[in-house]
Amino acid sequence: MMDAVFYDGVSARRRDVTLKVTASSLDIHEGGEWIASWPAGDVRQKDAPEGVLRITREGGPELARLDVANPADQAAIRLHCHRLNLPEHKERTGRIVFWSAATAISIILCVLFLIPLLAETLTPVIPVEYERRIGKAVDNQVRVIFKGKICDAPEGTAALRILTERLSKARGVEIPLDVAVLESKVPNAIALPGGRIYIFQALLDKADSPDELAGVLAHEIGHVVNRDGLRKLIQSSGTSYLFGLLFGDVTGGGAIVLASRYLVDSAYSRDAETAADDFAGKTMVTLGRPAHPMALLLKRIERREDDEKEAEKGNEKRIPAFLSTHPITDQRLKALEKQVPSQSGEPLLTQGQWRALKEICKTS
């Protein structure tokens, strides 16, 4: 038996103990009573005053230690505890790598599966008023991203309001819609949470008829009615937060910025696009107008006529913005072209109203 001083790591009390060292363990006794055993392979040496061998147990209480002063006893411990001088951090490296990898994989699985499920669950129960408040915050970021102004020529604004009201009433949409034309050279259209819809000037310029623009606008109204923007915002915000946990930024200060850019730059799911197409087609048919003009506009954008050729840089070709955020498949185009009303309704806008809408961004 050998003498030592023991600190249990829980209290600051000094305990005089005796040790029994074997090839497999280091047994600690106090007053003849056994109090603990440390596996020989877990015993590690720590820094200590000169002449003292200070040892701890790997994986044990952080402050627990034994101080052995007798040189013969020290030699016995070194003889049986072969891993005494193994640095503690090397012993833990494997566990650190394992748990780090497990954490990263867990976060990725959450992003791929849990967050989309959570977004689907939360979206229907969030009040519309709260959604509109979220939409205002996103709207501010969208305006910053595109650095464009709202086109508000009075006659054009009035024509856009008439078109929006006709589409909205055709399907009994109760959500207040706020539709505007954003001055931008990017051919696109987006629906934000809460009913804000932007038609970009470049897309309006490419439209050859009210039916073409109405189809696109009805498609975006479908996203508003189905609350796709809110759903995607919840998903992107949750993703930003989880990756913040992974990389050490959990303040959330840039979450709304990242989520807004994600909302603008990324595509909806195939199901969401199909549902919005179906909403647009049924809206146009209800008004006695065909749905296929929207398909004609999309095909024209895809061919990248006129100013779209200016977007080419070297040998790289960029996908037009509307097709990037609203990917069009042959199946979707055929579905739109098949939706034809049984009777032809009156035009959605007069020629004068259409002309005013096309010139909504022109200053007088």
Side-chain angles (χ1 to χ4, degrees), residues 312-326:
E312 297 182 7
K313 293 184 178 180
N315 294 325
E316 295 183 3
K317 297 183 178 181
R318 297 187 307 177
I319 299 175
F322 190 79
L323 296 179
S324 175
T325 55
H326 300 69

Side-chain angles (χ1 to χ4, degrees), residues 288-336:
R289 309 304 301 177
H292 75 274
M294 172 184 171
L296 297 178
L297 174 59
L298 299 179
K299 285 181 178 179
R300 199 157 55 245
I301 294 176
E302 190 173 23
R303 287 195 297 266
R304 303 195 313 174
E305 294 177 340
D306 303 323
D307 58 340
E308 203 62 49
K309 294 180 181 179
E310 297 177 4
E312 297 182 7
K313 293 184 178 180
N315 294 325
E316 295 183 3
K317 297 183 178 181
R318 297 187 307 177
I319 299 175
F322 190 79
L323 296 179
S324 175
T325 55
H326 300 69
I328 302 301
T329 63
D330 291 339
Q331 184 179 2
R332 288 180 58 198
L333 290 175
K334 290 177 181 178
L336 286 170

